[in-house]
Amino acid sequence: MSDDLYSASGVDTRAGDLAVELMKQAVQATHGPEVLGGVGGFAGLFDASRLREFRKPLLATSTDGVGTKVAIAQAIDKHDTIGQDLVGMVVDDIIVVGAEPLFMTDYIACGKVVPERIAAIVEGIAKACAATGTALTGGETAEHPGLLGVDDYDVAGAATGVVEADRVLGAERVRDGDIVVALGASGLHSNGYSLVRRILADRGIDVRDQAADFGTTWGEALLEPTRLYTGELVRMLARDDLDGAVHALSHVTGGGIAANLARVLPRGSWTQLERSRWSPLPVFRVLTDLAGASLESVEATWNLGIGMFAVVAANRADHFVDVAREEGHEAWIAGQVTIGERDLTGFEQGAKGVDGGAVQLVGHYRSA
């Protein structure tokens, strides 16, 4: 089939080639000497010789997307932050097991390839990959006319990392008396946007409308990119003064606060998180006010200002908080882990098929 005939069916291969040219420099900036072959091959090549340095290397892998947050980007025609959201959702899951990310690939499905739009998305992915020490080794842009609208697209990605077998983080390392440290979020990150969009629709708010509380349009406020944690956490886990201090990490994504923490706690353990230790970000307060709901009612949907938890040995928790702040993250002690029997009424117990620990939020949030 000739290019002209294929183009008549709605697929423009020349536009795809132009998109690759526009993004090439940003992608190549994530490549170290381990990446072979450059941009445009059928498969990305990554030199795994470094794995010989490991006694027993375990590969960690994760895949995810951005969800309905892309609808906000499409509505206001702003596409340069969605890539960071994608990297955060994928790579920050890998660091949870203590793994250092190695490489990532992305996939963009769209109704029509608009080269500048695709390039903006991929440049965002590439910049976030560079910030987390991840090589962007390949990807795919697929044009699906008739299946997706001209301005519709979705993004997904997958990444691979490596961790020494005896340094894997998780519930098996958690001990009685460990301290739960919270790391602050930048906003909604990439979860709960179906609820966000429903709230705005019910109030007749268009994402292009000005949001007086934020000094921007609603769309710009809601596209605040996901905060990245991997780069800093890789450095922190490698520090001699924190060696062995971190027992578990939890990325607060779909399912909210308690459920995600419960996944990385051992069965038979429990913790109560003090709401008074932090004040949820303004975006959460404004949205719940619009919905006529309480902050407590959305704890299982939104992160409310916590993007990552670290479960840390009690005698080094304060130092961990100090180092996290030095690395540019808001951090605070949110609770303590106890292993032992108790009445667990009102606790969230495990999640996503994991029979883990139990978590309950108690008290009242600090005022804004």
Side-chain angles (χ1 to χ4, degrees):
M1 182 180 287
S2 70
D3 284 348
D4 288 342
L5 190 56
Y6 202 16
S7 179
S9 73
V11 177
D12 189 346
T13 57
R14 293 186 181 90
D17 290 341
L18 177 56
V20 172
E21 287 301 317
L22 292 174
M23 71 178 73
K24 183 182 290 185
Q25 186 174 355
V27 173
Q28 289 175 332
T30 72
H31 293 179
E34 301 86 3
V35 179
L36 309 176
V39 177
F42 282 93
L45 294 173
F46 189 89
D47 185 350
S49 299
R50 182 181 155 223
L51 300 188
R52 296 172 183 165
E53 302 169 8
F54 289 73
R55 296 181 301 279
K56 186 177 180 180
L58 300 182
L59 295 179
T61 184
S62 177
T63 186
D64 208 341
V66 176
T68 59
K69 189 172 185 177
V70 297
I72 309 292
Q74 292 162 15
I76 69 169
D77 195 24
K78 178 176 170 57
H79 313 282
D80 58 346
T81 59
I82 283 294
Q84 178 166 325
D85 293 308
L86 179 64
V87 174
M89 291 300 97
V90 174
V91 175
D92 283 346
D93 274 0
I94 286 178
I95 190 62
V96 164
V97 297
E100 176 185 351
L102 297 173
F103 55 84
M104 179 171 173
T105 57
D106 66 81
Y107 176 79
I108 304 172
C110 60
K112 178 179 175 59
V113 170
V114 178
E116 295 78 10
R117 182 164 61 206
I118 299 300
I121 297 169
V122 176
E123 285 175 7
I125 295 171
K127 288 178 181 178
C129 279
T132 58
T134 311
L136 184 58
T137 57
E140 172 71 7
T141 299
E143 201 168 27
H144 296 319
L147 180 63
L148 295 171
V150 170
D151 293 320
D152 293 338
Y153 66 83
D154 197 12
V155 295
T160 299
V162 63
V163 60
E164 191 72 72
D166 62 5
R167 298 185 70 85
V168 172
L169 303 180
E172 298 79 9
R173 290 183 178 269
V174 175
R175 298 291 179 263
D176 184 50
D178 280 356
I179 300 298
V180 178
V181 176
L183 299 180
S186 56
L188 286 148
H189 288 184
S190 294
N191 297 105
Y193 274 81
S194 295
L195 175 58
V196 171
R197 292 166 60 232
R198 175 62 183 271
I199 291 171
L200 296 187
D202 286 349
R203 296 297 177 273
I205 297 172
D206 189 283
V207 293
R208 289 163 290 223
D209 294 342
Q210 285 293 314
D213 293 284
F214 306 119
T216 64
T217 66
W218 272 98
E220 289 169 318
L222 294 171
L223 283 182
E224 178 68 32
T226 301
R227 177 166 290 173
L228 303 172
Y229 301 91
T230 293
E232 295 84 357
L233 286 171
V234 166
R235 290 193 293 271
M236 292 170 70
L237 292 174
R239 288 175 60 124
D240 290 340
D241 56 346
L242 287 175
D243 185 40
V246 179
H247 295 161
L249 294 169
S250 174
H251 191 195
V252 183
T253 56
I257 299 170
N260 279 293
L261 179 57
R263 293 167 67 184
V264 302
L265 298 181
R267 186 176 180 180
S269 70
W270 56 272
T271 186
Q272 292 179 311
L273 303 178
E274 294 285 346
R275 294 186 180 102
S276 61
R277 300 289 177 87
W278 84 98
S279 177
L281 297 169
V283 65
F284 301 112
R285 294 183 181 275
V286 172
L287 286 169
T288 51
D289 284 348
L290 282 175
S294 67
L295 289 165
E296 291 80 3
S297 70
V298 294
E299 290 169 343
T301 303
W302 295 333
N303 67 58
L304 293 185
I306 299 176
M308 185 78 71
F309 284 113
V311 183
V312 184
N315 62 349
R316 285 193 276 181
D318 288 335
H319 182 55
F320 179 90
V321 169
D322 290 341
V323 174
R325 290 171 177 170
E326 290 171 7
E327 288 281 358
H329 288 282
E330 184 183 7
W332 65 93
I333 291 174
Q336 185 171 29
V337 177
T338 300
I339 298 178
E341 297 294 326
R342 67 153 294 161
D343 178 10
L344 296 177
T345 302
F347 282 72
E348 184 79 33
Q349 299 184 63
K352 301 281 180 89
V354 177
D355 187 11
V359 178
Q360 182 184 46
L361 279 77
V362 297
H364 302 284
Y365 287 111
R366 213 167 55 216
S367 60

